Structures are given as C-alpha cells and as structure tokens.
Amino acid sequence: MSAMALELKSLGVSFGGFKAVDGVSLQVAEGELRVLLGANGAGKTTLMDLVSGKTRSSEGRVELYGADVTNWPEYRVARAGIGRKFQIPSVFRELSVRQNLCVAATREPSIVRNLRWGFDRQDETRVDEILALTGLESVQQRQAADLSHGHTQWLELGLLIAQRPKVILLDEPTAGMTQAETRKTAQILKALRGRHTILVVEHDMAFVRDIAERITVLHLGRVLAEGSVAEIERDPRVRQAYLGSHGIASPC
C-alpha cells in the first residue's frame, strides 16, 4: 500500500463569516495524480492556498507524510517539500532555459555564484533529464523572455521539478494554451505520475479526462464527490452542481 503523501483533515477557513473552505478532508497517496474540480467559487484555489501556506486555516490540519505543516509560512512549506505552480509563470527572464533549470536544480542559494562558478555534473545531468521530460531541449539556449506561452509554462513546471518537491500543486496548468500545448502538458504530467505526487486544479474537461486517475469535486467549499472519471460522470449530485448534462468531454 502506498504511503499517504498529503492528508487534509477537516481543513477550513472563513473570510468575514463566509466559509470558503468548509471541513475538507482529503488523502492523496504517494505518486498519485489527483484532480480538483468545481465551479468558480467552489474553494479549489483557496484550498491550494491553505496547503501551500499562502493562507492560514481557521480549522483542521495539513499533513505531509504524517508531519503537521498546518499554517507554516510559505517558505517553510516549500522547504518541507510542497511545491506550487501558479497560473501566471514566474521564471528568470534574463537567463536561458538551461540556466533557469540549473539554478533551480542546485542546492547553492546564490544565483550569481552559480552562474560565475558553474554547476556540478550531478546538477547538469538532472537538468538534461528535465529538459527531455518537458520537451525543452530544442530551446534550452533561448532566453526565457523570448519563449512562447506554452514553453514558459513548461519551463516553470521544470523549475518546480528541479527542486525535488514531495508534492506538486498545479493551479490550472493549461490556462491560455492551444490544444496542441494542452495535449503536450497532459503527456508531461502522465510521465510524472508515479514519480511525483501531484494535485491539479483544472477546468479543461478534455484535459481532466486525459490525465485523471482520481477526481475530487468541491462545491461551496465542501467535498461533494470523489472517484474515477466514470464514477464522477455518473454522480447525479455532480451533474446538478457542476457538469450539467454533457459529462466530462472527450479529449480532442
């Protein structure tokens, strides 16, 4: 049986008397790729904020491999092993793709020192693996500022992977992407499945069908349903609250 990488226990937060997240309990096993679904206002992004330490919870616990990391500052949560990618990419625009990844892969905190003295062979090998995984090999010498939207998103995902997080949080990773870029992103995430524990918030239903092993549906800050794609599609509560009559669309 797989270890439990991330566990939320009755997690909640209120803003001015409004419960944005209301007693959410969730278990994500090591190596699992879990998708969070829900309409706007369901509490998905707020839940990610609670897990990553961006927002302090009013109740409940966040556990990483059994260790309580509830309400830790963001930097401590990140150091503990929870990495998060936001909708808007954040990369070193003045550096090349490869330099970006080298800086993320090394354990030396000084960027200037890294660029001046170079990187060790172990880090370089790690970067080669990430370039291959993300399909960025052909643009590795290009300055990050000159990348397309899709390439920039894959670079930021690569930066996250390079830091060796135990759990990866992805907030709408296909936002603004073309169909081709979305399909490639699905391929990348499926390649990461099993090697990394991943929690994804996404609205693109074709993408969800392509990558999802297990889906958790949030509604009004609570867990409405949980299961496989087929189970979620059949659930009448989910259809009424979110999916409507069409279910989860097939991928293009």
Side-chain angles (χ1 to χ4, degrees):
M1 184 176 178
S2 299
M4 206 55 61
L6 180 67
E7 190 165 5
L8 312 184
K9 297 181 176 180
S10 302
L11 195 63
V13 67
S14 298
F15 300 113
F18 169 71
K19 282 218 164 187
V21 173
D22 188 2
V24 170
S25 293
L26 178 69
Q27 292 182 325
V28 185
E30 184 177 59
E32 181 182 351
L33 195 165
R34 177 71 62 89
V35 175
L36 284 180
L37 282 183
N40 289 335
K44 306 181 301 299
T45 297
T46 302
L47 188 66
M48 301 278 259
D49 289 345
L50 294 174
V51 173
S52 65
K54 184 178 180 182
T55 297
R56 292 181 61 85
S57 63
S58 308
E59 59 188 12
R61 289 164 61 95
V62 178
E63 295 185 359
L64 179 65
Y65 284 94
D68 186 358
V69 297
T70 312
N71 292 337
W72 284 15
E74 281 186 273
Y75 76 91
R76 284 192 66 198
V77 172
R79 288 178 182 174
I82 296 179
R84 183 175 182 183
K85 180 187 177 305
F86 293 87
Q87 292 181 39
I88 300 174
S90 177
V91 301
F92 299 110
R93 293 175 56 83
E94 300 80 10
L95 302 183
S96 71
V97 169
R98 186 176 190 88
Q99 287 173 328
N100 264 272
L101 292 171
C102 283
V103 169
T106 186
R107 300 185 186 278
E108 167 58 54
S110 171
I111 296 175
V112 173
R113 182 175 176 182
N114 281 328
L115 295 177
R116 179 175 297 172
W117 298 108
F119 306 91
D120 64 36
R121 188 58 220 165
Q122 185 177 357
D123 291 336
E124 293 281 3
T125 299
R126 174 73 172 160
V127 167
D128 289 338
E129 293 171 353
I130 295 170
L131 286 168
L133 176 66
T134 55
L136 293 171
E137 292 167 302
S138 63
V139 296
Q140 62 180 289
Q141 300 304 331
R142 188 177 299 175
Q143 191 173 357
D146 298 330
L147 295 177
S148 67
H149 175 71
H151 281 121
T152 304
Q153 294 282 359
W154 300 326
L155 174 56
E156 190 179 35
L157 180 55
L159 296 180
L160 200 55
I161 297 167
Q163 295 168 49
R164 300 173 177 84
K166 297 173 182 176
V167 174
I168 295 175
L169 309 179
L170 302 178
D171 197 350
E172 296 191 36
T174 66
M177 286 189 175
T178 65
Q179 288 185 359
E181 290 170 339
T182 296
R183 286 193 292 269
K184 179 176 175 179
T185 302
Q187 293 172 355
I188 294 171
L189 293 190
K190 286 187 288 186
L192 291 173
R193 190 164 53 197
R195 290 193 272 173
H196 295 268
T197 303
I198 307 172
L199 185 62
V200 182
V201 168
E202 185 53 69
H203 285 295
D204 186 323
M205 294 297 98
F207 178 74
V208 170
R209 173 180 281 279
D210 199 5
I211 68 167
E213 293 179 308
R214 192 166 182 82
I215 296 172
T216 298
V217 182
L218 296 183
H219 181 60
L220 300 179
R222 298 180 178 180
V223 174
L224 177 65
E226 194 170 274
S228 66
V229 173
E231 290 169 336
I232 293 302
E233 284 187 315
R234 290 195 301 265
D235 193 311
R237 299 167 301 167
V238 178
R239 285 182 172 272
Q240 181 178 6
Y242 183 58
L243 293 177
S245 60
H246 299 295
I248 298 178
S250 298
C252 300

